[in-house]
Amino acid sequence: MQAMVLSIIGKDQPGLVDDLAKAVAKSEGNWLRSSFCQLAGHFAGFVEILLPHDKHNQLVADCHALSSLQITLLPANTGDSQSTLTQSKKVNLVVTGNDRQGIVSDVTGALKSFGVNIVELQTICDSAPNWGSPLFTATIALHMPDGTESSKLKQAIEDIADDLIVDVSSLKNN
């Protein structure tokens, strides 16, 4: 068995996850974890699976037969990068402020300057209560290198714009 990551994107429709699960099961794969979302009428996601080496082509063919999905099947990364992450501090950030062009680039640039690894990033723009202008919110799970101070990271992001609010919370290591 080999750990693999299956990425998929295609037109959203009911039953797509079930069809995908059946294709993984038919290929004798074991579904470990996944993340899916619907964006602008498209379905996108990632699935980590354990899959017999001789079933890779079968899974790819079965997935391509599903509703014109675009898929990629890659071996999971293991080794040095994983051991580095286990020695880092897990942190969750929530960044909120007025939406504007380039805000994601500014926030991720600040994070990069601290050498953090973004594990998960979710963003949304909603109408702000009381004044109706777009409100940007990013929820970011990351790994910070040992010795990085959360307060300095928070300040660097808040310094991007006067209206940014940053909430930082540590996560337990798994």
Side-chain angles (χ1 to χ4, degrees), residues 33-46:
R33 64 186 179 143
S34 58
S35 178
F36 299 115
C37 67
Q38 192 252 22
L39 296 169
H42 291 280
F43 176 82
F46 300 95

Side-chain angles (χ1 to χ4, degrees), residues 85-91 143 146 170-174:
L85 292 179
T86 58
Q87 297 175 5
S88 61
K89 181 179 178 182
K90 295 179 181 179
V91 174
H143 289 268
D146 284 340
S170 293
L171 302 173
K172 294 180 181 178
N173 284 328
N174 292 337

Side-chain angles (χ1 to χ4, degrees), residues 41-53:
H42 291 280
F43 176 82
F46 300 95
V47 183
E48 181 182 2
I49 57 177
L50 284 177
L51 188 66
H53 292 278

